[in-house]
Amino acid sequence: MREQAIVVKTTGKIAVLRIQKRPESEGCKICAFKEGQSVVKVKAKNTVGAKAGDTVIVQAEKDNRLLASFIVYILPVLFAAAGAAVGFLALDDQLWAALCCVAGLVLGFAAVFLLDKWAARSRGFGMEIAQICPKEESNQNPDIQEEKTNGYGI
């Protein structure tokens, strides 16, 4: 995902960006536009030295959709299976196996919640500024136009 954005403020190597929603972004959930919202502010790594007021190209730092899917969907299931196994093997009762399964599922979702907080702090699923647009460039950037027509709608 590559988008054009405007730098609102910078703090060290982190910049706050304002991204305008485009029709092509309807299916994309990276920027987390809320219903009816046309502008979103996001934090991004500022490795190119952008300053407040600059127009920049921002991109997803890493494509971790597979890892994120594993964490969100598989991790709670693994915890639930481990809980059921412990309940059945250690306590030798179906009721305890079911209760341990539910407890494992709750622990799995808690682990997902904590991993999400850790990832947000470590910037592992964040965004980064790829380049600063020249001042004479208006709302459209050739790189963005090329990305829009790649057939994926992102």
Short mmCIF file of all heavy atoms in Angstrom, two decimals, residues 55-93:
data_model
loop_
_atom_site.label_atom_id
_atom_site.label_comp_id
_atom_site.label_asym_id
_atom_site.label_seq_id
_atom_site.Cartn_x
_atom_site.Cartn_y
_atom_site.Cartn_z
N THR A 55 4.58 17.11 1.75
CA THR A 55 3.77 16.06 1.14
C THR A 55 4.67 14.87 0.91
O THR A 55 5.76 15.01 0.36
CB THR A 55 3.16 16.54 -0.19
OG1 THR A 55 2.36 17.71 0.06
CG2 THR A 55 2.30 15.48 -0.81
N VAL A 56 4.24 13.70 1.36
CA VAL A 56 5.10 12.52 1.33
C VAL A 56 4.34 11.33 0.76
O VAL A 56 3.11 11.33 0.67
CB VAL A 56 5.62 12.16 2.75
CG1 VAL A 56 6.49 13.27 3.30
CG2 VAL A 56 4.47 11.86 3.69
N ILE A 57 5.10 10.31 0.39
CA ILE A 57 4.54 9.01 0.02
C ILE A 57 4.79 8.09 1.21
O ILE A 57 5.92 7.95 1.67
CB ILE A 57 5.22 8.43 -1.24
CG1 ILE A 57 5.08 9.39 -2.42
CG2 ILE A 57 4.64 7.06 -1.56
CD1 ILE A 57 3.66 9.64 -2.85
N VAL A 58 3.72 7.49 1.72
CA VAL A 58 3.80 6.59 2.87
C VAL A 58 3.42 5.19 2.40
O VAL A 58 2.61 5.02 1.50
CB VAL A 58 2.89 7.07 4.02
CG1 VAL A 58 1.44 7.03 3.65
CG2 VAL A 58 3.13 6.28 5.28
N GLN A 59 4.07 4.20 2.97
CA GLN A 59 3.77 2.81 2.61
C GLN A 59 3.76 1.94 3.85
O GLN A 59 4.35 2.30 4.87
CB GLN A 59 4.79 2.28 1.60
CG GLN A 59 6.20 2.17 2.14
CD GLN A 59 7.18 1.75 1.07
OE1 GLN A 59 6.88 1.80 -0.11
NE2 GLN A 59 8.36 1.35 1.48
N ALA A 60 3.08 0.82 3.74
CA ALA A 60 3.07 -0.14 4.84
C ALA A 60 4.50 -0.61 5.03
O ALA A 60 5.18 -0.96 4.07
CB ALA A 60 2.14 -1.30 4.54
N GLU A 61 4.96 -0.59 6.28
CA GLU A 61 6.35 -0.91 6.58
C GLU A 61 6.71 -2.32 6.15
O GLU A 61 7.74 -2.57 5.54
CB GLU A 61 6.56 -0.74 8.08
CG GLU A 61 7.98 -0.83 8.51
CD GLU A 61 8.10 -0.55 9.99
OE1 GLU A 61 7.09 -0.27 10.65
OE2 GLU A 61 9.23 -0.63 10.48
N LYS A 62 5.87 -3.28 6.49
CA LYS A 62 6.09 -4.68 6.13
C LYS A 62 4.75 -5.26 5.75
O LYS A 62 3.72 -4.83 6.24
CB LYS A 62 6.65 -5.47 7.32
CG LYS A 62 7.99 -5.04 7.79
CD LYS A 62 8.38 -5.85 9.00
CE LYS A 62 9.69 -5.36 9.59
NZ LYS A 62 10.00 -6.03 10.84
N ASP A 63 4.77 -6.26 4.91
CA ASP A 63 3.53 -6.94 4.57
C ASP A 63 3.41 -8.16 5.46
O ASP A 63 3.87 -9.23 5.13
CB ASP A 63 3.52 -7.32 3.09
CG ASP A 63 2.17 -7.82 2.66
OD1 ASP A 63 1.21 -7.70 3.46
OD2 ASP A 63 2.05 -8.32 1.53
N ASN A 64 2.81 -7.96 6.62
CA ASN A 64 2.70 -9.01 7.62
C ASN A 64 1.29 -9.56 7.75
O ASN A 64 0.88 -9.97 8.82
CB ASN A 64 3.16 -8.48 8.98
CG ASN A 64 4.65 -8.37 9.07
OD1 ASN A 64 5.36 -9.17 8.47
ND2 ASN A 64 5.13 -7.39 9.79
N ARG A 65 0.54 -9.57 6.64
CA ARG A 65 -0.83 -10.05 6.73
C ARG A 65 -0.90 -11.50 7.15
O ARG A 65 -1.77 -11.88 7.92
CB ARG A 65 -1.55 -9.85 5.39
CG ARG A 65 -1.94 -8.40 5.16
CD ARG A 65 -2.61 -8.26 3.85
NE ARG A 65 -1.54 -8.25 2.84
CZ ARG A 65 -1.73 -7.98 1.58
NH1 ARG A 65 -2.93 -7.74 1.13
NH2 ARG A 65 -0.71 -7.96 0.74
N LEU A 66 0.02 -12.32 6.67
CA LEU A 66 0.00 -13.73 7.03
C LEU A 66 0.30 -13.91 8.52
O LEU A 66 -0.39 -14.66 9.22
CB LEU A 66 1.02 -14.51 6.19
CG LEU A 66 1.02 -16.01 6.36
CD1 LEU A 66 -0.33 -16.60 6.00
CD2 LEU A 66 2.10 -16.64 5.51
N LEU A 67 1.30 -13.20 9.02
CA LEU A 67 1.62 -13.28 10.44
C LEU A 67 0.46 -12.75 11.29
O LEU A 67 0.10 -13.36 12.31
CB LEU A 67 2.90 -12.49 10.74
CG LEU A 67 3.32 -12.40 12.21
CD1 LEU A 67 3.59 -13.79 12.76
CD2 LEU A 67 4.53 -11.51 12.35
N ALA A 68 -0.13 -11.64 10.88
CA ALA A 68 -1.25 -11.08 11.63
C ALA A 68 -2.43 -12.04 11.64
O ALA A 68 -3.09 -12.23 12.67
CB ALA A 68 -1.66 -9.74 11.03
N SER A 69 -2.71 -12.68 10.51
CA SER A 69 -3.80 -13.66 10.45
C SER A 69 -3.52 -14.83 11.37
O SER A 69 -4.42 -15.32 12.06
CB SER A 69 -3.99 -14.16 9.02
OG SER A 69 -4.39 -13.11 8.19
N PHE A 70 -2.29 -15.30 11.39
CA PHE A 70 -1.92 -16.40 12.27
C PHE A 70 -2.16 -16.02 13.73
O PHE A 70 -2.76 -16.77 14.49
CB PHE A 70 -0.46 -16.80 12.06
CG PHE A 70 -0.01 -17.87 13.02
CD1 PHE A 70 -0.32 -19.19 12.78
CD2 PHE A 70 0.71 -17.54 14.16
CE1 PHE A 70 0.08 -20.18 13.67
CE2 PHE A 70 1.11 -18.51 15.06
CZ PHE A 70 0.79 -19.84 14.80
N ILE A 71 -1.71 -14.83 14.09
CA ILE A 71 -1.83 -14.40 15.47
C ILE A 71 -3.30 -14.27 15.87
O ILE A 71 -3.71 -14.74 16.93
CB ILE A 71 -1.08 -13.07 15.69
CG1 ILE A 71 0.43 -13.30 15.61
CG2 ILE A 71 -1.45 -12.44 17.03
CD1 ILE A 71 1.26 -12.04 15.60
N VAL A 72 -4.11 -13.67 15.02
CA VAL A 72 -5.50 -13.39 15.38
C VAL A 72 -6.37 -14.65 15.38
O VAL A 72 -7.21 -14.83 16.25
CB VAL A 72 -6.09 -12.32 14.44
CG1 VAL A 72 -7.59 -12.20 14.61
CG2 VAL A 72 -5.42 -10.99 14.70
N TYR A 73 -6.15 -15.54 14.40
CA TYR A 73 -7.06 -16.68 14.26
C TYR A 73 -6.51 -17.98 14.87
O TYR A 73 -7.25 -18.73 15.50
CB TYR A 73 -7.39 -16.93 12.79
CG TYR A 73 -8.13 -15.78 12.17
CD1 TYR A 73 -7.55 -14.98 11.19
CD2 TYR A 73 -9.43 -15.47 12.57
CE1 TYR A 73 -8.24 -13.92 10.63
CE2 TYR A 73 -10.12 -14.41 12.01
CZ TYR A 73 -9.52 -13.64 11.04
OH TYR A 73 -10.20 -12.60 10.49
N ILE A 74 -5.25 -18.27 14.65
CA ILE A 74 -4.71 -19.57 15.04
C ILE A 74 -4.29 -19.60 16.50
O ILE A 74 -4.50 -20.60 17.19
CB ILE A 74 -3.54 -19.97 14.11
CG1 ILE A 74 -3.99 -19.97 12.66
CG2 ILE A 74 -2.96 -21.31 14.51
CD1 ILE A 74 -5.13 -20.93 12.36
N LEU A 75 -3.70 -18.52 17.00
CA LEU A 75 -3.21 -18.51 18.37
C LEU A 75 -4.30 -18.83 19.39
O LEU A 75 -4.09 -19.70 20.26
CB LEU A 75 -2.52 -17.18 18.68
CG LEU A 75 -1.60 -17.14 19.87
CD1 LEU A 75 -0.45 -18.12 19.70
CD2 LEU A 75 -1.06 -15.75 20.07
N PRO A 76 -5.48 -18.20 19.33
CA PRO A 76 -6.52 -18.58 20.30
C PRO A 76 -6.96 -20.04 20.17
O PRO A 76 -7.24 -20.71 21.17
CB PRO A 76 -7.69 -17.65 19.96
CG PRO A 76 -7.04 -16.47 19.34
CD PRO A 76 -5.88 -17.02 18.56
N VAL A 77 -6.99 -20.55 18.94
CA VAL A 77 -7.37 -21.95 18.74
C VAL A 77 -6.33 -22.88 19.36
O VAL A 77 -6.66 -23.90 19.98
CB VAL A 77 -7.57 -22.25 17.23
CG1 VAL A 77 -7.76 -23.73 16.99
CG2 VAL A 77 -8.76 -21.47 16.70
N LEU A 78 -5.05 -22.55 19.20
CA LEU A 78 -3.99 -23.36 19.80
C LEU A 78 -4.08 -23.34 21.33
O LEU A 78 -3.92 -24.39 21.98
CB LEU A 78 -2.62 -22.87 19.34
CG LEU A 78 -2.27 -23.11 17.88
CD1 LEU A 78 -0.92 -22.48 17.53
CD2 LEU A 78 -2.27 -24.59 17.55
N PHE A 79 -4.35 -22.18 21.89
CA PHE A 79 -4.51 -22.09 23.34
C PHE A 79 -5.72 -22.90 23.79
O PHE A 79 -5.67 -23.58 24.83
CB PHE A 79 -4.66 -20.62 23.78
CG PHE A 79 -3.36 -19.93 24.07
CD1 PHE A 79 -2.53 -19.50 23.05
CD2 PHE A 79 -2.98 -19.68 25.37
CE1 PHE A 79 -1.34 -18.86 23.31
CE2 PHE A 79 -1.80 -19.02 25.66
CZ PHE A 79 -0.98 -18.62 24.62
N ALA A 80 -6.82 -22.83 23.04
CA ALA A 80 -8.02 -23.60 23.40
C ALA A 80 -7.74 -25.10 23.32
O ALA A 80 -8.15 -25.86 24.22
CB ALA A 80 -9.18 -23.22 22.48
N ALA A 81 -7.04 -25.53 22.28
CA ALA A 81 -6.71 -26.96 22.15
C ALA A 81 -5.79 -27.41 23.29
O ALA A 81 -5.98 -28.50 23.84
CB ALA A 81 -6.05 -27.22 20.80
N ALA A 82 -4.83 -26.57 23.64
CA ALA A 82 -3.94 -26.92 24.75
C ALA A 82 -4.72 -27.00 26.05
O ALA A 82 -4.51 -27.91 26.86
CB ALA A 82 -2.81 -25.89 24.86
N GLY A 83 -5.66 -26.08 26.26
CA GLY A 83 -6.49 -26.11 27.46
C GLY A 83 -7.35 -27.36 27.51
O GLY A 83 -7.48 -28.01 28.56
N ALA A 84 -7.94 -27.73 26.38
CA ALA A 84 -8.76 -28.95 26.32
C ALA A 84 -7.91 -30.19 26.58
O ALA A 84 -8.34 -31.10 27.30
CB ALA A 84 -9.45 -29.05 24.96
N ALA A 85 -6.71 -30.22 26.02
CA ALA A 85 -5.83 -31.37 26.23
C ALA A 85 -5.43 -31.49 27.70
O ALA A 85 -5.45 -32.59 28.27
CB ALA A 85 -4.59 -31.25 25.35
N VAL A 86 -5.08 -30.37 28.30
CA VAL A 86 -4.71 -30.39 29.72
C VAL A 86 -5.90 -30.84 30.56
O VAL A 86 -5.77 -31.68 31.46
CB VAL A 86 -4.19 -29.01 30.18
CG1 VAL A 86 -4.13 -28.90 31.69
CG2 VAL A 86 -2.83 -28.73 29.56
N GLY A 87 -7.07 -30.28 30.27
CA GLY A 87 -8.26 -30.65 31.04
C GLY A 87 -8.63 -32.11 30.89
O GLY A 87 -9.03 -32.76 31.86
N PHE A 88 -8.49 -32.65 29.70
CA PHE A 88 -8.87 -34.04 29.47
C PHE A 88 -7.82 -35.01 30.00
O PHE A 88 -8.17 -36.00 30.65
CB PHE A 88 -9.09 -34.28 27.98
CG PHE A 88 -9.65 -35.63 27.68
CD1 PHE A 88 -10.97 -35.94 27.97
CD2 PHE A 88 -8.85 -36.62 27.12
CE1 PHE A 88 -11.49 -37.19 27.71
CE2 PHE A 88 -9.36 -37.88 26.86
CZ PHE A 88 -10.69 -38.17 27.14
N LEU A 89 -6.54 -34.71 29.75
CA LEU A 89 -5.48 -35.64 30.16
C LEU A 89 -5.17 -35.56 31.65
O LEU A 89 -4.98 -36.58 32.31
CB LEU A 89 -4.22 -35.39 29.35
CG LEU A 89 -4.33 -35.65 27.83
CD1 LEU A 89 -3.07 -35.25 27.12
CD2 LEU A 89 -4.66 -37.12 27.58
N ALA A 90 -5.12 -34.35 32.19
CA ALA A 90 -4.74 -34.21 33.60
C ALA A 90 -5.91 -34.46 34.54
O ALA A 90 -5.73 -35.05 35.61
CB ALA A 90 -4.17 -32.82 33.83
N LEU A 91 -7.09 -34.02 34.15
CA LEU A 91 -8.23 -34.12 35.06
C LEU A 91 -9.18 -35.25 34.67
O LEU A 91 -10.08 -35.59 35.44
CB LEU A 91 -8.97 -32.79 35.11
CG LEU A 91 -8.10 -31.60 35.54
CD1 LEU A 91 -8.83 -30.30 35.37
CD2 LEU A 91 -7.62 -31.77 36.98
N ASP A 92 -9.04 -35.81 33.49
CA ASP A 92 -9.78 -36.99 33.02
C ASP A 92 -11.29 -36.84 33.17
O ASP A 92 -11.98 -37.74 33.63
CB ASP A 92 -9.29 -38.24 33.76
CG ASP A 92 -9.66 -39.52 32.99
OD1 ASP A 92 -9.82 -39.42 31.75
OD2 ASP A 92 -9.79 -40.57 33.63
N ASP A 93 -11.79 -35.66 32.78
CA ASP A 93 -13.22 -35.41 32.86
C ASP A 93 -13.60 -34.47 31.72
O ASP A 93 -12.90 -33.49 31.45
CB ASP A 93 -13.56 -34.78 34.21
CG ASP A 93 -15.06 -34.59 34.40
OD1 ASP A 93 -15.85 -35.25 33.71
OD2 ASP A 93 -15.42 -33.77 35.27
#
